[in-house]
Amino acid sequence: MNNLYDAPFELDHQHVFLGEGHDKNERKTWAVIVLCSAMMLAEIIGGHLFGSLALVADGMHMSTHAGAMLIAALAYTYARKHANDNRFVFGTGKLGDLAGFSSAIILAMIALLIGYEAVVRLLSPIPISFSEAIPIAVVGLLVNIASAWLLSGGDHHGHSHGHADGAPHDNAAHDHGDEAHIIKTSAGVFVLSIFEDGVSPVFRIHAETTDANLSPGEMTVTTVRPEGTRQLFSFAKKADFLESTTDIPEPHAFKALVTLARDVHSVAFEEHAHHPENDGIDRRDHNMRAAYVHVIADAAVSVLAIIGLLLAKSFGWLWMDPLAGLVGALVIANWSYGLIRDTGANLMDVSPNDVLPSKVRAIVNSAGDKLIDLHVWRLGPGHFGAVVSVVTQETTHGPAFYQRLLRKVTGLSHITVEVHTPQSV
């Protein structure tokens, strides 16, 4: 008999997988476009009024800079406006990666163009109008510094994915939600975890089987810390779970002696990182990263150009200007390669590391079941999807059982569970 289940726990849920700073990054990118466009118009108009071809050329260069920013800004705006569009099966979180990939291609083309021009000028040096070129390079550098300042300061972390049942998807800075312990007793199967989502940390216990019925008076937890200190925790009824009446003091590394229906069980809790950037979850906003790289690359080229022009003017080394351009081209090409590699991997659903898969395996193993298939991929900054196939002999370990456990894992925002019996595989 095939006893296959394939249904998400939430019957009605959203697919909004945008980064936490999405709206703020969108506004910053449009601000940079306004700045670059103003500078572009000033240089082109000024160049025509004063007969400066160098000013016109730099203005045209600034237009390509604004165009690259426009790709990022439009991606932010489109992703936000269509975040709830059902045509996007897994939301619009990957539009940032697509925009970043496109920007990286443009960067690579700019690097090739600068490199080609530098080689041509090394082979055939041309006269340089230092009085015009140096001030323009300085102004360009100042504009890029201002643009970098506008784009900086973003902590492109993911945000929690809201579920229709109102269950918390723990993304707190100090989160133990992914460390859940399954406890099997004569009174049923329960899950014990530490809950800390904008509140003081407390123990929570959920019943995982329909026959499990536990009153607060039948449960206690005694923590035993490495130095031997013990603390007893009592519980109170809260909706469909029990919660400790006393907060858990830091640190959260201890052995917990759990008394359930007169049975005593021992489980271990480990201290987790206090900063989300240390949990191995990729929260990078590659769209903002690409925009920032564009600005920094332009600033680097401006710095190298100023150095090359000053040396060429002081010592007559005309070759210094194209040499500086060649070095700049190599730097830009390196940054472009990094962007193409990372955004391309996300677009092709390459799993970035084993952090989330290892947590899923640990949960399945702790339940005493067998994991036969697992797919984890990035949906957007800080958001990951997972398809989990499990073989179990426990009639109570259905999709809902694993949804309750897996939705506590920080970073897993969309989970589909298949549960098989041994006869169905």
Side-chain angles (χ1 to χ4, degrees):
M1 175 180 175
N2 190 327
N3 192 17
L4 172 65
Y5 301 87
D6 183 9
F9 180 68
E10 300 86 4
L11 298 178
D12 181 23
H13 56 273
Q14 303 174 6
H15 291 87
V16 180
F17 305 121
L18 305 180
E20 186 177 80
H22 186 93
D23 291 347
K24 182 172 65 175
N25 292 339
E26 179 184 351
R27 291 191 298 270
K28 291 191 295 186
T29 307
W30 281 112
V32 171
I33 290 175
V34 171
L35 176 63
C36 293
S37 298
M39 183 66 189
M40 173 192 72
L41 290 174
E43 288 188 320
I44 293 177
I45 294 172
H48 283 294
L49 289 176
F50 302 113
S52 173
L53 183 60
L55 269 177
V56 174
D58 197 65
M60 297 304 295
H61 165 73
M62 192 62 68
S63 69
T64 64
H65 186 53
M69 293 297 105
L70 187 61
I71 292 175
L74 290 176
Y76 278 126
T77 302
Y78 190 90
R80 173 176 53 80
K81 288 185 176 181
H82 295 269
N84 292 297
D85 191 333
N86 292 330
R87 293 177 301 170
F88 296 93
V89 179
F90 286 105
T92 55
K94 281 190 175 181
L95 271 173
D97 292 307
L98 181 59
F101 185 85
S102 302
S103 293
I105 297 296
I106 294 175
L107 271 175
M109 295 172 64
I110 291 174
L112 287 173
L113 183 62
I114 294 175
Y116 172 78
E117 186 68 22
V119 171
V120 169
R121 293 198 178 193
L122 276 173
L123 297 176
S124 304
I126 62 174
I128 301 174
S129 300
F130 296 106
S131 59
E132 288 185 347
I134 294 176
I136 289 173
V138 171
V139 171
L141 176 60
L142 293 176
V143 171
N144 287 313
I145 291 174
S147 299
W149 177 78
L150 286 171
L151 295 176
S152 64
D155 56 350
H156 320 301
H157 298 322
H159 66 308
S160 61
H161 174 46
H163 298 277
D165 63 348
H169 187 84
D170 299 343
N171 260 343
H174 183 43
D175 183 19
H176 292 264
D178 55 330
E179 189 177 2
H181 295 276
I182 299 172
I183 301 174
K184 298 180 179 180
T185 73
S186 57
V189 180
F190 302 87
V191 173
L192 176 69
S193 62
I194 295 177
F195 178 75
E196 183 181 5
D197 188 5
V199 298
S200 300
V202 291
F203 286 112
R204 279 189 176 181
I205 185 165
H206 297 259
E208 289 298 329
T209 53
T210 55
D211 61 332
N213 185 14
L214 190 66
S215 65
E218 295 180 283
M219 178 185 177
T220 61
V221 171
T222 302
T223 57
V224 183
R225 297 184 178 274
E227 68 276 12
T229 305
R230 290 175 175 252
Q231 183 177 359
L232 178 66
F233 293 83
S234 300
F235 286 77
K237 185 73 172 177
K238 299 280 187 178
D240 61 343
F241 57 88
L242 300 182
E243 184 175 284
S244 61
T245 57
T246 308
D247 298 341
I248 307 171
E250 299 279 1
H252 297 164
F254 45 71
K255 180 173 66 174
L257 302 178
V258 185
T259 302
L260 275 167
R262 296 181 297 278
D263 297 329
V264 180
H265 304 265
S266 177
V267 296
F269 285 91
E270 297 180 358
E271 182 69 6
H272 287 223
H274 285 255
H275 301 285
E277 61 268 22
N278 296 330
D279 61 8
I281 306 301
D282 183 9
R283 295 178 172 83
R284 291 177 296 174
D285 183 337
H286 291 295
N287 192 21
M288 175 55 62
R289 178 186 169 198
Y292 192 76
V293 167
H294 265 284
V295 171
I296 295 300
D298 215 24
V301 171
S302 295
V303 170
L304 290 170
I306 292 170
I307 293 173
L309 288 169
L310 289 174
L311 290 175
K313 180 180 180 181
S314 301
F315 302 100
W317 298 343
L318 295 181
W319 50 269
M320 277 300 304
D321 180 60
L323 180 62
L326 188 59
V327 172
L330 293 175
V331 171
I332 295 174
N334 182 60
W335 288 341
S336 172
Y337 168 75
L339 269 174
I340 292 173
R341 177 195 60 210
D342 295 341
T343 56
N346 290 334
L347 291 172
M348 293 301 296
D349 294 331
V350 176
S351 185
N353 53 51
D354 198 46
V355 172
L356 291 178
S358 64
K359 290 182 179 181
V360 174
R361 294 189 197 100
I363 288 174
V364 175
N365 290 337
S366 67
D369 296 327
K370 181 180 180 181
L371 182 68
I372 59 172
D373 196 19
L374 174 63
H375 300 277
V376 178
W377 71 101
R378 191 178 192 261
L379 301 170
H383 295 283
F384 289 79
V387 175
V388 185
S389 295
V390 178
V391 174
T392 181
Q393 294 182 338
E394 300 287 342
T395 58
T396 58
H397 289 191
F401 171 81
Y402 275 106
Q403 283 281 351
R404 291 190 188 97
L405 296 180
L406 294 173
R407 73 185 181 194
K408 300 176 186 296
V409 178
T410 302
L412 285 186
S413 300
H414 191 281
I415 307 165
T416 299
V417 180
E418 295 178 347
V419 178
H420 305 259
T421 61
Q423 295 80 16
S424 67
V425 293

